[in-house]
Amino acid sequence: MRRRTLLTSIVGVAGTAGTAGGLIAAGAPPALATGSRRVLHVRPGDSLQAAVDAVTGPGWTVVVHPGTYREVVNISAGAGELTLRGASRDPRAAVIVFDNANGTPKPDGSGTYGTAGSATFTSAAPGLTVRDLTLANDWLRADHPEITGTQAVAACVTGDRTHFENVRLLAHQDTLFADTTALDAFDRQYFHRCYIEGDVDFVFGRGRAVFDACHFHTLQRDVTFTPKGMVFAPATARANPYGFLALRGRITSGAEDAAYKIARPWVPSYETTAWPSLVVRDTWIGPGIDAVTPYVNMRDAYPWQTMRFREHANSGPGAVMTVPENRPQLTAEEAATHTRRTYLGDWKPYGRP
């Protein structure tokens, strides 16, 4: 199903009124809070970015009512301790979506957006909480054969103590850019009960990120080669003891069996000291993942075997160890150091309802 068709059908399920086609363009300012409550409400016809821009200090909440909002949203580092949440507990009800790609030309003629610049949703705010929403990038390769920079990010997040709860992240290549504000910053991120789908490197970056009870889904891709893609592409800084931790989740696929890899290491050309780190533990891995060779190189100069890739106590057909050397495992002692507590330290978002 093509992405725009999918998103339009979501609006129909939510039962929202909007402009033609169910898509709501950014325009009117949000409904302002009254009294002492620091709450802004965004409804169909409003601009979510305008609501974010209206925030005057820490501790605000922006409530997004059901609808599909076609706009780019950028939350600056100054909007700390902000909560952005859907009015409904169903994350399908409120959708923020746009369609820029890495190679999309900027309207002012100054070049293309680049990978990070393609993001529908960007935040550098510390203490950000996002819950009960869908963040999507519905740019499609098939619609733009002239563009070779096909990365199209749904969310690019930096800033310490970023918390995503019950959020759907939808795109194809590079869906979620979980990064840090600087090379020497070990910004912590916590994703709980989130659904993340894509095809190539669709969870990537150098953030210290915990994915707790999340569902990763690889898409069918119209190519003849395999692997069709990879779920993770961490780029952890060498000085950071922890990178990505996926635990108590599941990995499913819309493609044929063994078409995808769990991960490949990303060592950026601008940051060749990176030492990617990924632990997948206590996770059900479906048949869409190649159980024999679940990891692959991005560049042969940086073989995955030299990276910090480990697994522990996984299950499912994609977790079967037929060639043990291709699936490095944590010992029980090592597993005790790869937990939410060790990755997130004194910040405990999982301790709150």
Side-chain angles (χ1 to χ4, degrees):
M1 181 181 289
R2 296 174 74 82
R3 174 71 67 217
R4 286 196 179 88
T5 303
L6 173 60
L7 290 171
T8 303
S9 69
I10 290 171
V11 175
V13 169
T16 14
T19 58
L23 298 178
I24 301 158
L32 298 176
T34 58
S36 60
R37 295 183 63 199
R38 293 183 292 180
V39 179
L40 294 171
H41 289 269
V42 179
R43 295 182 171 85
D46 296 342
S47 165
L48 178 55
Q49 184 65 57
V52 170
D53 292 342
V55 168
T56 57
W60 281 75
T61 296
V62 177
V63 180
V64 185
H65 289 259
T68 299
Y69 301 81
R70 181 165 286 279
E71 60 177 311
V72 172
V73 177
N74 194 325
I75 301 175
S76 70
E81 315 307 322
L82 174 69
T83 295
L84 181 66
R85 68 174 182 86
S88 165
R89 290 188 177 181
D90 184 351
R92 298 172 299 174
V95 178
I96 297 96
V97 59
F98 210 74
D99 61 347
N100 285 328
N102 177 334
T104 301
K106 294 181 180 179
D108 63 4
S110 62
T112 60
Y113 283 100
T115 297
S118 73
T120 297
F121 178 89
T122 301
S123 174
L128 173 74
T129 297
V130 181
R131 61 188 312 135
D132 305 329
L133 290 171
T134 291
L135 307 177
N137 189 320
D138 63 357
W139 187 90
L140 291 171
R141 301 180 185 97
D143 291 345
H144 302 278
E146 77 285 2
I147 291 179
T148 56
T150 57
Q151 299 88 346
V153 178
C156 176
V157 292
T158 61
D160 193 34
R161 297 176 293 106
T162 296
H163 178 189
F164 277 45
E165 182 80 26
N166 193 32
V167 174
R168 299 169 76 239
L169 295 146
L170 312 179
H172 288 263
Q173 184 172 355
D174 290 10
T175 303
L176 172 61
F177 196 172
D179 209 40
T180 66
T181 50
L183 177 60
D184 58 354
F186 303 157
D187 298 333
R188 297 163 294 178
Q189 301 164 3
Y190 180 64
F191 299 83
H192 183 226
R193 295 192 304 112
C194 292
Y195 173 86
I196 309 168
E197 74 173 27
D199 51 32
V200 179
D201 303 333
F202 63 92
V203 179
F204 73 112
R206 68 181 178 217
R208 182 186 293 190
V210 173
F211 299 90
D212 186 0
C214 291
H215 180 182
F216 306 94
H217 184 72
T218 64
L219 297 169
Q220 180 60 273
R221 188 178 172 201
D222 188 19
V223 294
T224 57
F225 55 80
T226 57
K228 291 189 172 182
M230 309 81 196
V231 179
F232 298 99
T236 321
R238 182 169 293 271
N240 193 342
Y242 303 114
F244 290 169
L245 170 65
L247 74 162
R248 303 189 309 155
R250 57 184 173 137
I251 301 174
T252 62
S253 183
E256 65 270 24
D257 290 357
Y260 276 85
K261 306 292 187 181
I262 293 176
R264 62 179 178 175
W266 179 33
V267 179
S269 58
Y270 56 83
E271 197 173 299
T272 57
T273 61
W275 191 21
S277 173
L278 167 70
V279 170
V280 180
R281 59 173 302 173
D282 307 298
T283 290
W284 186 88
I285 302 176
I289 296 297
D290 180 0
V292 178
T293 55
Y295 304 101
V296 68
N297 297 340
M298 185 175 291
R299 287 187 285 169
D300 289 340
Y302 305 100
W304 73 264
Q305 293 90 342
T306 65
M307 304 301 167
R308 295 177 284 176
F309 285 5
R310 296 292 186 272
E311 297 181 56
H312 180 72
N314 294 322
S315 60
V320 174
M321 286 193 293
T322 56
V323 184
E325 58 267 33
N326 287 344
R327 309 202 72 141
Q329 303 289 307
L330 295 173
T331 65
E333 183 179 9
E334 290 169 336
T337 68
H338 290 276
T339 65
R340 298 178 303 185
R341 184 186 297 272
T342 55
Y343 277 58
L344 302 180
D346 60 356
W347 177 51
K348 299 180 180 179
Y350 50 87
R352 297 193 296 268

Coordinates of all heavy atoms in Angstrom, one line a residue, residues 211-292:
F211 N 15.0 0.9 23.7 CA 13.8 0.5 23.0 C 13.1 -0.6 23.8 O 13.5 -1.8 23.7 CB 14.0 0.1 21.5 CG 14.7 1.2 20.7 CD1 16.1 1.3 20.6 CD2 13.9 2.1 20.0 CE1 16.7 2.3 19.9 CE2 14.5 3.1 19.3 CZ 15.9 3.2 19.2
D212 N 12.2 -0.2 24.6 CA 11.5 -1.1 25.6 C 10.2 -1.6 25.1 O 9.3 -0.7 24.9 CB 11.4 -0.4 26.9 CG 11.0 -1.3 28.1 OD1 10.7 -2.5 27.8 OD2 10.9 -0.8 29.2
A213 N 10.0 -2.9 24.8 CA 8.7 -3.4 24.4 C 8.2 -2.7 23.1 O 7.1 -2.5 22.9 CB 7.7 -3.3 25.5
C214 N 9.2 -2.5 22.2 CA 8.9 -1.8 20.9 C 8.7 -2.9 19.8 O 9.2 -4.0 19.9 CB 9.9 -0.8 20.5 SG 10.0 0.6 21.6
H215 N 8.0 -2.5 18.8 CA 7.7 -3.4 17.6 C 8.4 -2.8 16.4 O 8.0 -1.7 16.0 CB 6.2 -3.5 17.4 CG 5.8 -4.4 16.3 ND1 4.5 -4.5 15.9 CD2 6.5 -5.1 15.4 CE1 4.4 -5.4 14.9 NE2 5.6 -5.7 14.5
F216 N 9.3 -3.5 15.9 CA 10.0 -3.1 14.7 C 9.5 -3.9 13.5 O 9.4 -5.1 13.6 CB 11.5 -3.3 14.8 CG 12.1 -2.7 16.0 CD1 12.3 -3.4 17.2 CD2 12.6 -1.4 16.0 CE1 12.8 -2.8 18.3 CE2 13.1 -0.8 17.1 CZ 13.2 -1.5 18.3
H217 N 9.1 -3.2 12.4 CA 8.5 -3.9 11.3 C 9.3 -3.6 10.0 O 9.3 -2.4 9.6 CB 7.1 -3.6 11.1 CG 6.4 -4.4 10.1 ND1 6.1 -5.7 10.2 CD2 5.9 -4.0 8.8 CE1 5.5 -6.1 9.1 NE2 5.3 -5.1 8.2
T218 N 9.8 -4.6 9.3 CA 10.5 -4.3 8.0 C 9.5 -4.4 6.9 O 8.6 -5.3 6.8 CB 11.6 -5.3 7.8 OG1 11.1 -6.6 7.7 CG2 12.6 -5.3 8.9
L219 N 9.5 -3.5 5.9 CA 8.6 -3.3 4.9 C 9.0 -4.2 3.7 O 10.2 -4.5 3.4 CB 8.5 -1.9 4.4 CG 7.9 -0.9 5.5 CD1 8.1 0.5 5.0 CD2 6.5 -1.2 5.8
Q220 N 8.0 -4.6 2.9 CA 8.3 -5.2 1.6 C 8.9 -4.1 0.7 O 8.5 -2.9 0.7 CB 7.0 -5.7 0.9 CG 7.2 -6.3 -0.4 CD 8.2 -7.5 -0.4 OE1 9.4 -7.3 -0.5 NE2 7.6 -8.7 -0.3
R221 N 10.0 -4.4 0.0 CA 10.7 -3.4 -0.8 C 10.8 -4.0 -2.2 O 11.2 -5.1 -2.4 CB 12.1 -3.2 -0.2 CG 12.8 -2.0 -0.9 CD 14.2 -1.8 -0.2 NE 14.9 -0.8 -1.0 CZ 16.3 -0.7 -0.9 NH1 17.0 -1.5 0.0 NH2 16.9 0.2 -1.6
D222 N 10.5 -3.1 -3.2 CA 10.5 -3.6 -4.6 C 11.9 -3.6 -5.2 O 12.2 -2.7 -6.1 CB 9.6 -2.6 -5.4 CG 9.3 -3.1 -6.8 OD1 9.6 -4.3 -7.1 OD2 8.9 -2.3 -7.7
V223 N 12.7 -4.5 -4.7 CA 14.1 -4.7 -5.3 C 14.3 -6.2 -5.4 O 13.6 -7.0 -4.8 CB 15.2 -4.1 -4.4 CG1 15.1 -2.6 -4.3 CG2 15.1 -4.7 -3.0
T224 N 15.2 -6.6 -6.3 CA 15.5 -8.0 -6.5 C 16.6 -8.5 -5.7 O 16.8 -9.8 -5.6 CB 15.8 -8.2 -8.0 OG1 16.9 -7.4 -8.4 CG2 14.6 -7.8 -8.9
F225 N 17.4 -7.7 -5.1 CA 18.5 -8.1 -4.3 C 18.2 -8.3 -2.8 O 17.2 -7.8 -2.3 CB 19.7 -7.1 -4.4 CG 19.4 -5.7 -4.0 CD1 19.3 -5.3 -2.7 CD2 19.1 -4.8 -5.0 CE1 19.0 -4.0 -2.3 CE2 18.8 -3.5 -4.7 CZ 18.7 -3.1 -3.3
T226 N 19.1 -9.1 -2.2 CA 19.0 -9.2 -0.7 C 20.4 -8.9 -0.2 O 21.4 -9.3 -0.8 CB 18.5 -10.6 -0.2 OG1 19.3 -11.6 -0.8 CG2 17.0 -10.7 -0.6
P227 N 20.6 -8.4 1.1 CA 19.4 -8.0 1.9 C 18.7 -6.8 1.4 O 19.3 -5.9 0.8 CB 20.1 -7.7 3.2 CG 21.5 -7.3 2.9 CD 21.9 -8.1 1.7
K228 N 17.4 -6.8 1.7 CA 16.6 -5.6 1.3 C 16.9 -4.4 2.2 O 16.6 -3.3 1.8 CB 15.1 -6.0 1.3 CG 14.8 -7.0 0.2 CD 13.3 -7.2 0.0 CE 13.0 -8.0 -1.2 NZ 11.6 -8.2 -1.4
G229 N 17.4 -4.7 3.4 CA 17.6 -3.6 4.3 C 18.0 -4.2 5.7 O 18.2 -5.4 5.9
M230 N 18.2 -3.2 6.6 CA 18.6 -3.5 8.0 C 17.7 -2.7 8.9 O 17.3 -1.6 8.6 CB 20.0 -3.1 8.2 CG 21.0 -3.7 7.2 SD 21.0 -2.7 5.7 CE 21.8 -3.8 4.6
V231 N 17.5 -3.3 10.1 CA 16.7 -2.6 11.1 C 17.5 -1.5 11.7 O 17.1 -0.3 11.8 CB 16.2 -3.5 12.2 CG1 15.4 -2.8 13.3 CG2 15.3 -4.6 11.6
F232 N 18.7 -1.8 12.3 CA 19.5 -0.8 13.0 C 20.8 -0.5 12.3 O 21.4 -1.3 11.6 CB 19.9 -1.4 14.4 CG 18.7 -1.8 15.3 CD1 18.3 -3.1 15.4 CD2 18.1 -0.8 16.1 CE1 17.2 -3.4 16.2 CE2 17.1 -1.1 16.9 CZ 16.6 -2.4 17.0
A233 N 21.2 0.8 12.5 CA 22.5 1.2 12.0 C 23.1 2.2 13.1 O 23.1 3.4 12.9 CB 22.4 1.9 10.7
P234 N 23.6 1.7 14.2 CA 24.1 2.6 15.2 C 25.4 3.2 14.8 O 26.2 2.6 14.1 CB 24.3 1.6 16.4 CG 24.5 0.3 15.8 CD 23.7 0.2 14.6
A235 N 25.7 4.4 15.4 CA 26.9 5.1 15.1 C 27.5 5.6 16.4 O 28.0 6.7 16.5 CB 26.7 6.2 14.1
T236 N 27.5 4.8 17.4 CA 27.8 5.2 18.8 C 29.2 5.8 18.9 O 30.2 5.2 18.3 CB 27.7 4.0 19.7 OG1 26.6 3.2 19.4 CG2 27.6 4.4 21.2
A237 N 29.4 6.8 19.6 CA 30.7 7.4 19.8 C 31.6 6.4 20.6 O 31.1 5.7 21.5 CB 30.6 8.7 20.6
R238 N 32.9 6.4 20.3 CA 33.7 5.4 21.0 C 33.8 5.6 22.5 O 33.9 4.6 23.3 CB 35.2 5.6 20.4 CG 36.2 4.6 21.0 CD 37.4 4.6 20.1 NE 37.2 4.1 18.8 CZ 37.3 2.8 18.5 NH1 37.7 1.9 19.4 NH2 37.1 2.4 17.3
A239 N 33.7 6.8 23.0 CA 33.7 7.1 24.4 C 32.4 6.8 25.1 O 32.4 6.7 26.4 CB 34.0 8.6 24.6
N240 N 31.4 6.5 24.4 CA 30.1 6.2 25.0 C 30.0 4.7 25.3 O 30.1 3.9 24.4 CB 28.9 6.6 24.1 CG 27.6 6.6 24.8 OD1 27.4 6.0 25.8 ND2 26.6 7.3 24.2
P241 N 29.9 4.3 26.6 CA 29.8 2.9 26.9 C 28.6 2.1 26.4 O 28.6 0.9 26.3 CB 29.9 2.8 28.4 CG 29.4 4.1 28.9 CD 29.8 5.1 27.8
Y242 N 27.5 2.9 26.0 CA 26.3 2.3 25.7 C 25.7 3.0 24.4 O 25.7 4.2 24.3 CB 25.2 2.4 26.8 CG 25.7 1.8 28.1 CD1 25.9 2.6 29.2 CD2 25.9 0.4 28.2 CE1 26.4 2.0 30.4 CE2 26.4 -0.2 29.4 CZ 26.6 0.6 30.5 OH 27.0 0.1 31.6
G243 N 25.1 2.2 23.5 CA 24.5 2.7 22.3 C 23.0 2.4 22.3 O 22.3 2.8 23.1
F244 N 22.6 1.5 21.4 CA 21.2 1.1 21.3 C 21.0 -0.2 22.1 O 21.7 -1.2 22.0 CB 20.8 0.8 19.9 CG 20.7 2.0 19.0 CD1 20.6 1.9 17.6 CD2 20.8 3.3 19.5 CE1 20.5 3.0 16.8 CE2 20.8 4.4 18.7 CZ 20.6 4.3 17.3
L245 N 19.9 -0.2 22.9 CA 19.4 -1.4 23.6 C 18.0 -1.7 23.2 O 17.1 -0.8 23.5 CB 19.6 -1.2 25.1 CG 18.9 -2.3 26.0 CD1 19.6 -3.6 25.8 CD2 19.0 -1.9 27.5
A246 N 17.7 -2.8 22.6 CA 16.4 -3.2 22.3 C 16.0 -4.4 23.2 O 16.7 -5.4 23.1 CB 16.2 -3.6 20.8
L247 N 15.0 -4.3 24.0 CA 14.7 -5.4 24.9 C 13.1 -5.6 25.0 O 12.4 -4.7 24.8 CB 15.2 -5.2 26.3 CG 14.6 -4.2 27.2 CD1 15.0 -4.4 28.6 CD2 15.0 -2.7 26.8
R248 N 12.7 -6.8 25.2 CA 11.3 -7.2 25.4 C 10.4 -6.8 24.2 O 9.3 -6.5 24.4 CB 10.8 -6.6 26.7 CG 11.6 -7.0 27.9 CD 10.9 -6.5 29.2 NE 10.5 -5.1 29.1 CZ 9.5 -4.6 29.8 NH1 8.8 -5.4 30.6 NH2 9.2 -3.3 29.7
G249 N 11.0 -6.8 23.0 CA 10.2 -6.3 21.8 C 10.0 -7.5 20.8 O 10.2 -8.6 21.1
R250 N 9.7 -7.1 19.6 CA 9.6 -8.0 18.5 C 9.9 -7.4 17.2 O 9.8 -6.2 17.0 CB 8.2 -8.6 18.5 CG 7.1 -7.6 18.3 CD 5.7 -8.3 18.4 NE 4.6 -7.4 18.4 CZ 3.5 -7.5 17.7 NH1 3.4 -8.6 16.9 NH2 2.5 -6.6 17.8
I251 N 10.4 -8.2 16.3 CA 10.8 -7.8 15.0 C 10.0 -8.6 14.0 O 10.1 -9.9 13.9 CB 12.3 -8.0 14.7 CG1 13.1 -7.2 15.7 CG2 12.6 -7.5 13.3 CD1 14.6 -7.4 15.6
T252 N 9.1 -8.0 13.2 CA 8.3 -8.7 12.2 C 8.6 -8.1 10.8 O 9.4 -7.2 10.7 CB 6.8 -8.5 12.5 OG1 6.5 -7.1 12.4 CG2 6.4 -9.0 13.9
S253 N 8.0 -8.7 9.8 CA 8.4 -8.3 8.4 C 7.2 -8.5 7.5 O 6.4 -9.4 7.6 CB 9.6 -9.2 7.9 OG 10.0 -8.7 6.6
G254 N 7.1 -7.6 6.5 CA 6.2 -7.7 5.4 C 6.8 -8.3 4.2 O 6.2 -8.4 3.2
A255 N 8.1 -8.6 4.3 CA 8.9 -9.2 3.2 C 9.0 -10.7 3.3 O 8.6 -11.3 4.3 CB 10.2 -8.5 3.1
E256 N 9.7 -11.3 2.4 CA 9.9 -12.7 2.4 C 10.9 -13.1 3.5 O 11.6 -12.2 4.0 CB 10.4 -13.2 1.1 CG 11.7 -12.7 0.6 CD 11.7 -11.5 -0.2 OE1 10.7 -10.7 0.0 OE2 12.6 -11.2 -0.9
D257 N 11.0 -14.4 3.9 CA 11.8 -14.8 4.9 C 13.3 -14.5 4.6 O 13.7 -14.6 3.4 CB 11.7 -16.3 5.1 CG 10.4 -16.7 5.7 OD1 9.6 -15.8 6.1 OD2 10.1 -17.9 5.9
A258 N 14.0 -14.1 5.6 CA 15.5 -13.9 5.5 C 15.9 -12.7 4.6 O 17.0 -12.6 4.2 CB 16.2 -15.2 5.1
A259 N 15.0 -11.8 4.3 CA 15.3 -10.7 3.4 C 16.0 -9.6 4.1 O 16.6 -8.7 3.4 CB 14.0 -10.2 2.8
Y260 N 16.0 -9.6 5.4 CA 16.5 -8.4 6.2 C 17.6 -8.9 7.2 O 17.6 -10.0 7.6 CB 15.4 -7.7 7.0 CG 14.7 -6.7 6.1 CD1 13.6 -7.1 5.3 CD2 15.0 -5.4 6.1 CE1 12.9 -6.2 4.5 CE2 14.4 -4.4 5.3 CZ 13.3 -4.8 4.5 OH 12.7 -3.9 3.7
K261 N 18.4 -7.9 7.5 CA 19.4 -8.1 8.6 C 19.0 -7.3 9.8 O 18.2 -6.4 9.8 CB 20.8 -7.6 8.1 CG 21.3 -8.1 6.8 CD 21.7 -9.6 6.9 CE 22.3 -10.1 5.6 NZ 22.7 -11.5 5.7
I262 N 19.5 -7.8 11.0 CA 19.3 -7.0 12.2 C 19.9 -5.7 12.1 O 19.3 -4.6 12.5 CB 19.7 -7.8 13.4 CG1 18.9 -9.1 13.6 CG2 19.7 -6.9 14.7 CD1 19.4 -9.9 14.8
A263 N 21.2 -5.6 11.7 CA 21.9 -4.4 11.8 C 23.2 -4.4 10.9 O 23.7 -5.4 10.5 CB 22.4 -4.1 13.2
R264 N 23.7 -3.2 10.7 CA 25.0 -3.0 10.1 C 25.6 -1.7 10.8 O 24.8 -0.8 11.2 CB 25.0 -2.8 8.6 CG 24.2 -1.6 8.1 CD 24.4 -1.5 6.6 NE 23.6 -0.4 6.0 CZ 23.6 -0.1 4.7 NH1 24.3 -0.8 3.9 NH2 22.9 0.9 4.2
P265 N 26.9 -1.7 11.1 CA 27.5 -0.6 11.8 C 27.6 0.6 10.9 O 28.1 0.5 9.7 CB 28.8 -1.1 12.2 CG 29.2 -2.1 11.2 CD 27.9 -2.7 10.7
W266 N 27.3 1.8 11.4 CA 27.5 3.1 10.7 C 28.7 3.8 11.3 O 28.6 4.2 12.4 CB 26.2 3.9 10.7 CG 26.3 5.2 10.0 CD1 27.1 5.5 8.9 CD2 25.7 6.4 10.3 NE1 26.9 6.8 8.5 CE2 26.1 7.4 9.4 CE3 24.8 6.8 11.4 CZ2 25.6 8.7 9.4 CZ3 24.3 8.1 11.4 CH2 24.7 9.1 10.5
V267 N 29.7 3.9 10.5 CA 30.9 4.8 10.9 C 30.9 5.9 9.9 O 31.4 5.8 8.8 CB 32.2 4.0 10.9 CG1 33.3 4.9 11.2 CG2 32.1 2.8 11.8
P268 N 30.3 7.1 10.3 CA 30.2 8.2 9.3 C 31.6 8.7 8.8 O 32.6 8.6 9.6 CB 29.5 9.3 10.1 CG 28.8 8.5 11.3 CD 29.7 7.4 11.6
S269 N 31.6 9.1 7.6 CA 32.9 9.6 7.1 C 33.4 10.9 7.8 O 34.5 11.2 7.9 CB 32.7 10.0 5.6 OG 31.6 10.9 5.4
Y270 N 32.4 11.6 8.5 CA 32.8 12.7 9.3 C 33.1 12.4 10.7 O 33.4 13.3 11.5 CB 31.7 13.8 9.2 CG 30.3 13.3 9.7 CD1 30.0 13.3 11.0 CD2 29.4 12.9 8.7 CE1 28.8 12.9 11.4 CE2 28.1 12.5 9.2 CZ 27.8 12.4 10.5 OH 26.6 12.0 10.9
E271 N 33.0 11.1 11.1 CA 33.2 10.7 12.5 C 33.8 9.3 12.5 O 33.1 8.3 13.0 CB 31.9 10.8 13.2 CG 32.0 10.8 14.7 CD 30.7 11.0 15.3 OE1 30.0 12.1 15.1 OE2 30.2 10.1 16.1
T272 N 35.0 9.1 12.0 CA 35.5 7.8 11.8 C 36.0 7.1 13.0 O 36.4 5.9 13.0 CB 36.7 7.8 10.8 OG1 37.7 8.8 11.3 CG2 36.2 8.3 9.4
T273 N 35.9 7.8 14.2 CA 36.3 7.2 15.5 C 35.1 6.4 16.1 O 35.2 5.8 17.1 CB 36.7 8.2 16.5 OG1 35.7 9.2 16.7 CG2 38.0 8.9 16.0
A274 N 33.9 6.5 15.4 CA 32.7 5.8 16.0 C 33.0 4.3 16.2 O 33.7 3.7 15.5 CB 31.5 6.0 15.0
W275 N 32.3 3.8 17.3 CA 32.4 2.4 17.6 C 31.0 1.9 17.9 O 30.6 1.8 19.0 CB 33.3 2.1 18.8 CG 33.7 0.7 19.0 CD1 33.6 -0.3 18.1 CD2 34.2 0.2 20.3 NE1 34.1 -1.5 18.7 CE2 34.4 -1.2 20.0 CE3 34.5 0.7 21.5 CZ2 34.9 -2.1 21.0 CZ3 35.0 -0.2 22.5 CH2 35.2 -1.5 22.3
P276 N 30.2 1.6 16.9 CA 28.8 1.3 17.0 C 28.5 0.2 18.0 O 29.2 -0.8 18.1 CB 28.4 0.8 15.6 CG 29.3 1.6 14.7 CD 30.6 1.6 15.4
S277 N 27.4 0.4 18.8 CA 27.0 -0.5 19.9 C 25.5 -0.8 19.8 O 24.7 0.1 19.7 CB 27.3 0.2 21.3 OG 26.8 -0.6 22.3
L278 N 25.2 -2.1 19.8 CA 23.8 -2.5 19.7 C 23.7 -3.8 20.5 O 24.5 -4.8 20.4 CB 23.4 -2.8 18.3 CG 22.1 -3.6 18.1 CD1 20.9 -2.7 18.5 CD2 22.0 -4.1 16.7
V279 N 22.7 -3.9 21.4 CA 22.3 -5.1 22.1 C 20.8 -5.3 21.9 O 20.0 -4.4 22.1 CB 22.6 -5.0 23.6 CG1 22.0 -6.2 24.4 CG2 24.1 -4.9 23.9
V280 N 20.5 -6.5 21.4 CA 19.1 -7.0 21.2 C 18.9 -8.1 22.2 O 19.6 -9.2 22.0 CB 18.8 -7.4 19.8 CG1 17.4 -7.8 19.6 CG2 19.1 -6.2 18.8
R281 N 18.0 -8.0 23.1 CA 17.8 -9.0 24.1 C 16.4 -9.3 24.4 O 15.6 -8.4 24.3 CB 18.6 -8.7 25.4 CG 18.2 -7.4 26.1 CD 18.9 -7.2 27.4 NE 18.5 -8.3 28.3 CZ 19.1 -8.5 29.5 NH1 20.0 -7.7 29.9 NH2 18.7 -9.6 30.2
D282 N 16.1 -10.5 24.8 CA 14.7 -10.9 25.2 C 13.7 -10.4 24.2 O 12.6 -10.0 24.6 CB 14.4 -10.2 26.6 CG 15.5 -10.5 27.6 OD1 15.6 -11.7 28.0 OD2 16.2 -9.6 28.1
T283 N 14.0 -10.6 23.0 CA 13.2 -10.1 21.8 C 12.8 -11.3 20.9 O 13.6 -12.2 20.7 CB 14.0 -9.0 21.1 OG1 14.1 -7.9 21.9 CG2 13.3 -8.7 19.7
W284 N 11.5 -11.2 20.5 CA 11.1 -12.2 19.5 C 11.5 -11.7 18.1 O 11.1 -10.6 17.7 CB 9.6 -12.5 19.6 CG 9.1 -13.6 18.7 CD1 9.1 -14.9 19.0 CD2 8.6 -13.4 17.3 NE1 8.6 -15.6 17.9 CE2 8.3 -14.7 16.9 CE3 8.5 -12.4 16.5 CZ2 7.8 -15.0 15.6 CZ3 8.0 -12.6 15.2 CH2 7.6 -13.9 14.8
I285 N 12.2 -12.5 17.4 CA 12.7 -12.1 16.0 C 12.0 -13.1 15.0 O 12.2 -14.3 15.0 CB 14.2 -12.2 16.0 CG1 14.9 -11.3 17.0 CG2 14.7 -11.8 14.6 CD1 16.4 -11.4 17.1
G286 N 11.3 -12.5 14.1 CA 10.5 -13.3 13.1 C 11.4 -13.8 12.0 O 12.6 -13.5 11.9
P287 N 10.8 -14.5 11.1 CA 11.5 -15.1 10.0 C 12.0 -14.2 8.9 O 12.8 -14.5 8.0 CB 10.5 -16.1 9.4 CG 9.2 -15.5 9.7 CD 9.3 -14.9 11.1
G288 N 11.6 -12.9 9.0 CA 12.0 -11.9 8.0 C 13.5 -11.6 8.2 O 14.1 -11.1 7.2
I289 N 14.1 -11.9 9.3 CA 15.5 -11.7 9.6 C 16.3 -12.9 9.2 O 15.9 -14.0 9.5 CB 15.7 -11.3 11.1 CG1 15.0 -10.0 11.5 CG2 17.2 -11.3 11.4 CD1 15.5 -8.8 10.7
D290 N 17.4 -12.7 8.6 CA 18.3 -13.8 8.2 C 19.0 -14.3 9.4 O 19.9 -13.7 10.0 CB 19.3 -13.2 7.2 CG 20.3 -14.3 6.7 OD1 20.3 -15.4 7.1 OD2 21.2 -13.9 5.9
A291 N 18.6 -15.5 9.8 CA 19.1 -16.1 11.1 C 20.6 -16.6 10.9 O 21.3 -16.6 11.9 CB 18.2 -17.3 11.5
V292 N 21.0 -16.9 9.7 CA 22.3 -17.4 9.5 C 23.4 -16.3 9.6 O 24.4 -16.4 10.2 CB 22.4 -18.1 8.1 CG1 23.9 -18.6 7.9 CG2 21.4 -19.3 8.1

